Amino acid sequence: MDAIDAMIAATNNLIAENPSKISIHRTEYIEDENGGRKKVEITLPPFSGRLVPSAAKPQMVRDEAGGLVRASWTLIAPPEADIRVGSDVEDTFIVNGQTFKVVGVIYRKWHDQAYAIHAEAEVML
């Protein structure tokens, strides 16, 4: 077994310790034929992932509406999972009745080959 196979196996073992069924709901904005944008929503096929807290306690964030408490989480996913973040796409998923919004995606790689995806997610209030 080479290093990348070992890292993929370790990711799969980590997910298997406490798996969640993840179905990404994607809202994407694409250009239409009139120069505008249209909203397209799809739900991707489910995969097994693991959701773990990113911080010991929720963070207080202030915006124009006042204070909000946000809990940060990390979704550990297999390398073949389709998870995106950007100005033209919004990925969300539901676990245990809570809706999460993907706010960052990190591809874990070894010699340019992905062995895991770590997606930063926040609980949507």
Side-chain angles (χ1 to χ4, degrees):
M1 178 182 286
D2 64 358
I4 194 70
D5 290 335
M7 289 182 207
I8 290 171
T11 297
N12 291 336
N13 288 339
L14 182 64
I15 292 169
E17 288 177 6
N18 190 10
S20 293
K21 181 179 173 182
I22 308 294
S23 290
I24 298 289
H25 179 78
R26 177 164 296 148
T27 303
E28 194 166 9
Y29 297 91
I30 59 173
E31 289 187 25
D32 65 14
E33 58 278 352
N34 299 321
R37 292 180 1 144
K38 65 180 177 181
K39 181 177 173 179
V40 178
E41 295 187 59
I42 60 170
T43 300
L44 302 172
F47 62 87
S48 287
R50 182 171 180 183
L51 197 59
V52 295
S54 293
K57 61 182 181 173
Q59 299 174 345
M60 176 69 98
V61 178
R62 293 223 178 259
D63 63 6
E64 62 275 356
L68 297 171
V69 176
R70 289 202 176 134
S72 297
W73 295 79
T74 299
L75 171 61
I76 302 167
E80 63 274 3
D82 184 3
I83 306 172
R84 297 187 203 163
V85 67
S87 61
D88 61 343
V89 65
E90 179 180 282
D91 282 358
T92 59
F93 58 93
I94 299 172
V95 173
N96 295 331
Q98 288 188 306
T99 302
F100 295 83
K101 177 182 176 183
V102 176
V103 295
V105 177
I106 302 166
Y107 290 87
R108 301 296 182 184
K109 295 183 176 185
W110 174 259
H111 292 281
D112 210 32
Q113 186 174 355
Y115 62 88
I117 297 173
H118 291 180
E120 299 170 34
E122 292 180 347
V123 175
M124 293 180 67
L125 302 175

